[in-house]
Amino acid sequence: MNMNFGKVAILCGGYSAERDVSLMSGKAIYKALISKNIDACLFDIKYNNICELKSLGIKRAFISLHGRYGEDGIIQGALELIGIPYTGSGPLTSSLCMNKIITKYIWMQYNLPTPAFTIFNKNTKSDFYKKSFDFPVIVKPASEGSTLGILKAITINDLKHAIDQALLYDKEILIENFIYGRELTVGIINNGINDINILPIIEIITPNNNYDYEHKYFSNETQYFCPASLDKYIYDKIINFCELSYKIFKCEGSVRIDMILDDKNEIWLLEINTVPGMTEHSLLPLAAQASGLSYEDLCIIILSSASCKYNKIINKN
């Protein structure tokens, strides 16, 4: 593998509610790249202008930004304009996958299973709460990550409260039928040269099935089983769904796809993460380790996939 990457900027921090997680990921990536003798630096877009990357001699950008301005296509578009190759998917794919509602509509077009849902936004009619809901439901901001703003509702009062909380993060809210079952996630990596590599499936088990922000990044009570114990036909079906999703959305680099396996062994796709977390508690590094990849080697593979999507010629200036 060519290790002549030039000077690499790890884009982290930013403006979103996931800023702290992004900083943790960025620092871990920086440590890994430095250990591989890569000329790397941390670049917090909240305090540094993205246009400065050129004057700093940056040849590649490792995107470690989560949420808005990092995972939604905006930073990807900016990097396209200034001609700096970057990790992960392009602007369109990033934008589509960031919005959980649009992601679900596209899955439905391809007859891929995703829980039934309704939407709450500024155009929602005043009689919304008079509707008949199939409780319990999960209330989520349409374009937020790290389980931020997500609450379970089992009554109308719960629903009102959950929507109020979700509105703190987004103007559009997804209200999704709650699926009882096993929480699974699948990491996918691609170095930009070979076929996609689907990593071992992870099962996540938390106290009271509450995989919230605290349990995702800080709790030692959360248990991860990798590879998950699954019958072969279910395992293969999950892999097929994930590979198809990766191709439908034209993903590039690394992604992570979350899902639920219910008690009837039916699979329900939940969301696609185009900039998976890279903290010590993150799932993509865990799956990579189970497949024999060290954290450092995972970072190198992700970095090697960096490119400008609309202009595949690597910047030579």
Side-chain angles (χ1 to χ4, degrees):
M1 184 181 295
N2 181 15
M3 297 283 282
N4 185 23
F5 298 123
K7 191 171 184 179
V8 177
I10 303 160
L11 308 189
C12 58
Y15 301 90
S16 82
E18 299 176 73
R19 173 178 170 79
D20 290 345
V21 176
S22 172
L23 289 170
M24 287 190 291
S25 289
K27 290 175 182 176
I29 294 165
Y30 173 79
K31 182 179 178 181
L33 294 185
I34 291 296
S35 76
K36 291 289 189 177
N37 297 315
I38 305 297
D39 183 8
C41 64
L42 290 167
F43 192 93
D44 188 339
I45 67 165
K46 184 174 181 179
Y47 300 113
N48 299 280
N49 191 317
I50 197 73
C51 296
E52 296 173 4
L53 292 175
K54 278 285 191 181
S55 62
L56 291 172
I58 299 300
K59 298 302 181 183
R60 294 191 180 211
F62 195 124
I63 297 179
S64 180
L65 294 159
H66 307 306
R68 289 184 179 84
Y69 306 108
E71 203 167 352
D72 57 3
I74 291 178
I75 200 72
Q76 290 79 4
L79 292 166
E80 291 282 350
L81 284 172
I82 60 178
I84 292 182
Y86 56 93
T87 58
S89 298
L92 179 59
T93 296
S94 301
S95 178
L96 293 174
C97 293
M98 183 66 186
N99 189 301
K100 299 177 181 67
I101 294 170
I102 294 175
T103 300
K104 289 168 74 71
Y105 278 134
I106 294 174
W107 271 330
M108 291 163 64
Q109 285 291 319
Y110 284 85
N111 295 315
L112 290 170
T114 188
F117 66 100
T118 188
I119 301 167
F120 185 98
N121 57 34
K122 64 180 181 180
N123 298 316
T124 299
K125 296 180 179 179
S126 58
D127 63 350
F128 176 79
Y129 291 109
K130 295 179 181 179
K131 293 171 59 176
S132 176
F133 292 94
D134 186 15
F135 289 110
V137 296
I138 291 291
V139 180
K140 308 175 180 179
S143 297
E144 195 57 81
S146 292
T147 65
L148 290 167
I150 296 180
L151 288 173
K152 181 179 177 181
I154 59 175
T155 68
I156 286 293
N157 285 337
D158 288 343
L159 180 59
K160 291 178 180 178
H161 172 70
I163 288 175
D164 286 343
Q165 292 301 303
L167 286 169
L168 297 175
Y169 295 93
D170 204 344
K171 295 179 180 179
E172 188 171 41
I173 309 304
L174 169 66
I175 301 164
E176 189 176 63
N177 284 6
F178 181 80
I179 305 295
Y180 292 95
R182 299 166 66 184
E183 188 160 1
L184 307 173
T185 192
V186 179
I188 303 175
I189 56 176
N190 185 347
N191 63 9
I193 301 173
N194 302 319
D195 291 336
I196 62 176
N197 180 15
I198 301 179
L199 301 174
I201 300 171
I202 299 175
E203 180 173 7
I204 305 153
I205 299 178
T206 57
N208 302 315
N209 294 318
N210 184 23
Y211 193 45
D212 58 11
Y213 184 84
E214 177 68 23
H215 285 105
K216 180 175 283 191
Y217 294 110
F218 303 106
S219 175
N220 291 319
E221 296 180 330
T222 303
Q223 294 180 290
Y224 304 103
F225 296 92
C226 184
S229 178
L230 299 165
D231 291 340
K232 186 178 185 306
Y233 84 95
I234 296 173
Y235 195 98
D236 291 344
K237 192 174 183 179
I238 290 172
I239 296 302
N240 288 337
F241 283 171
C242 291
E243 184 173 0
L244 181 57
S245 295
Y246 191 95
K247 292 177 178 178
I248 287 170
F249 286 91
K250 299 187 183 302
C251 296
E252 297 188 44
S254 61
V255 306
R256 203 190 73 243
I257 303 176
D258 299 336
M259 68 203 69
I260 296 290
L261 179 69
D262 70 16
D263 55 7
K264 296 180 181 178
N265 283 332
E266 295 294 331
I267 302 157
W268 300 91
L269 300 171
L270 300 179
E271 63 179 284
I272 302 176
N273 300 277
T274 55
V275 185
M278 292 288 286
T279 73
E280 64 181 15
H281 282 266
S282 294
L283 301 174
L284 186 71
L286 176 63
Q289 184 179 30
S291 70
L293 276 176
S294 69
Y295 183 93
E296 292 77 12
D297 287 339
L298 173 63
C299 289
I300 294 297
I301 289 174
I302 294 172
L303 182 60
S304 70
S305 71
S307 69
C308 289
K309 320 310 175 188
Y310 296 123
N311 179 4
K312 289 290 187 178
I313 299 174
I314 298 296
N315 176 40
K316 297 179 180 179
N317 295 328

